Amino acid sequence: MAKRKMILDLDTGIDDSLAIAYALGAPDVDLIGIIGSYGNVVVEAGGQNSLKILELLGHTDIPVYLGESHSSTSDHFDRMQVSADIHGENGIGQVELPEPKRSIEKESGVDFLIEAAHKYGKDLTLVPTGPMTNLAAALKKAPEIANEIGNMTFMGGALTVPGNVTAYAEANINQDAEAANAVLTSPMHSTMVGLDVTLRTLLTKKETQQWRDLGTEAGEKFADIVDYYIQAYVDVNDNLGGCALHDPLAVGVALDPSFVTTIDLNMVVNYNKETYGRTIGDDNRLNEPTNVKVSVAVDKDRYLKTFMEYLTALFKKN
C-alpha cells in the first residue's frame, strides 16, 4: 500500500482510459476511486467505461462514483459531435468490452471526494481530466477541502497555444468555464497541464504494436482503442504525427512534477461570450502570492519512456 492516494475525475474516453492505466501502473500511488463526469461521453457511459477498463486491467476492487451530469450553469448536457468522432460513439474507440461485474457506487462522487479529502488530507492527489464541475461543487459544499487536498493537477486549458474548441478555449474548460474559474480563483493550489504540453506528448502505432506483441487481452484491446484515437487525430490534425496523451500526462505530472517546466501565475477563466473558456493570467492578482502552476514545456522523451514502462508492464499481466 502506497502512502499517496489518488482520485481520478474522468469523462472516460480514450485518453482517460490511458490515465487509468498509468495510475494503476505507477508503483508509488494507490488509485482509491474514480469520479465520473460528462464531456467525451455522458456521465453514465463514462462511469461504465471506467468500470470496464478497470475490469480489463484486473482492478475490480476500485470503486467508481458518478459526479454531476451537466455544467454548473445548465440543466442538461449535449455531447459534441467532435467527441464522438475522436473517441468513438461508445467513448472507447468502438472497441467492445464485456459488461462490468461491478456496479456504480450509490454515493455521489462529490461526497466521495469530500470524505476522501477529510480522510487523507495532504496524502491525497486529485486529477481532474474533464470539466471542473465536480470539484467546484465539492468546494462549494465543503470549502475547507481547498486546503486539505495535497495535490490537484488537472488536464485542461491553454495559455501559450490556441484552444481546441475555439481559438480561446480548450474542451474541458469550455464545458464549464464558470466552474473552472471558481476552482482556479479558490485558495486551492493546483498545476495546469494544458494543450501547451499535451500536444507535444504523442503516441504512435509503433508503441501500440508493442502492446499487441505482448499477446495479452489488455495489450490487444488497448492497442485497438488507441489505434482508433490515432486515426481520429490523422483525420482532424494530420500535422501532429500521433495522438496526444492529454490525460495520462496530467497523471504523470501529478506523480512527478519534474516532467514539466511551469510558471507561477494566478489564473482566471473568462466566461463572457467572446472569449468563453479562455485560461489567462489574472491581472488583478499579478503581484499576489500564486496558487497555480502552469505547465509550459515538457520532457516528452522521458515521460513517454515512463508511460510505456508503466503501461506495458501492466498489460503483460492482463
Side-chain angles (χ1 to χ4, degrees):
M1 295 287 286
K3 182 180 180 183
R4 187 184 301 187
K5 310 299 179 184
M6 179 175 285
I7 294 173
L8 298 177
D9 185 341
L10 311 173
D11 53 334
T12 301
I14 294 174
D15 55 330
D16 310 78
S17 299
L18 292 170
I20 293 172
Y22 193 105
L24 293 175
D28 53 348
V29 70
D30 291 334
L31 179 61
I32 62 168
I34 292 172
I35 303 171
S37 187
Y38 61 93
N40 294 324
V41 289
V42 299
V43 65
E44 294 84 2
Q48 289 298 313
N49 284 346
S50 293
L51 287 171
K52 290 176 181 179
I53 294 296
L54 288 169
E55 190 163 307
L56 175 65
L57 297 176
H59 280 273
T60 56
D61 54 315
I62 297 171
V64 176
Y65 304 80
L66 293 190
E68 302 298 306
S69 61
H70 54 77
S71 78
S72 59
T73 58
S74 66
D75 59 5
H76 71 286
F77 165 67
D78 294 320
R79 187 190 190 200
M80 292 186 295
Q81 183 58 45
V82 67
S83 299
D85 294 342
I86 291 174
H87 296 272
E89 288 294 337
N90 70 352
I92 48 175
Q94 297 303 95
V95 173
E96 294 298 325
L97 296 177
E99 287 302 308
K101 297 181 179 69
R102 183 162 185 159
S103 299
I104 298 290
E105 304 301 307
K106 291 182 170 59
E107 182 183 11
S108 81
V110 171
D111 288 341
F112 166 66
L113 173 56
I114 293 169
E115 290 170 7
H118 292 336
K119 180 177 181 179
Y120 296 108
K122 297 302 180 185
D123 291 332
L124 180 63
T125 293
L126 172 66
V127 185
T129 68
M132 294 279 204
T133 313
N134 293 328
L135 179 52
L139 286 168
K140 185 174 182 180
K141 188 172 184 179
E144 68 276 9
I145 70 169
N147 295 310
E148 290 177 350
I149 295 174
N151 178 342
M152 196 282 274
T153 300
F154 69 97
M155 191 280 130
L159 181 66
T160 63
V161 297
N164 58 357
V165 174
T166 70
Y168 298 102
E170 179 275 329
N172 291 333
I173 303 299
N174 188 69
Q175 295 283 6
D176 194 344
E178 290 86 346
N181 187 63
V183 171
L184 292 181
T185 57
S186 78
M188 175 173 280
H189 286 260
S190 61
T191 299
M192 174 173 136
V193 178
L195 300 180
D196 314 85
V197 288
T198 64
L199 289 176
R200 305 181 197 182
T201 313
L202 304 172
L203 202 70
T204 71
K205 289 187 178 181
K206 175 185 175 184
E207 286 78 33
T208 59
Q209 185 60 48
Q210 294 175 36
W211 297 341
R212 290 190 192 284
D213 292 343
L214 296 173
T216 63
E217 184 182 18
E220 186 75 23
K221 293 294 187 182
F222 263 86
D224 289 344
I225 291 168
V226 178
D227 279 353
Y228 181 100
Y229 197 48
I230 291 170
Q231 185 57 49
Y233 266 80
V234 171
D235 296 340
V236 173
N237 185 351
D238 197 21
N239 295 324
L240 287 177
C243 66
L245 296 175
H246 300 293
D247 297 350
L249 180 59
V251 178
V253 172
L255 296 174
D256 183 356
S258 71
F259 281 132
V260 292
T261 302
T262 62
I263 59 172
D264 293 337
L265 185 66
N266 288 321
M267 301 283 287
V268 292
V269 182
N270 295 161
Y271 47 90
N272 55 54
K273 185 177 180 180
E274 292 76 17
T275 58
Y276 189 88
R278 183 186 188 191
T279 48
I280 193 70
D282 184 355
D283 58 357
N284 292 316
R285 296 187 295 148
L286 286 179
N287 294 312
E288 296 181 13
T290 55
N291 67 330
V292 181
K293 293 182 179 296
V294 182
S295 304
V296 292
V298 58
D299 186 346
K300 59 185 180 181
D301 293 336
R302 185 167 65 88
Y303 171 76
L304 185 59
K305 181 175 183 290
T306 304
F307 171 91
M308 288 301 295
E309 286 175 356
Y310 287 179
L311 270 69
T312 302
L314 182 66
F315 297 163
K316 276 183 181 177
K317 298 184 292 186
N318 295 281

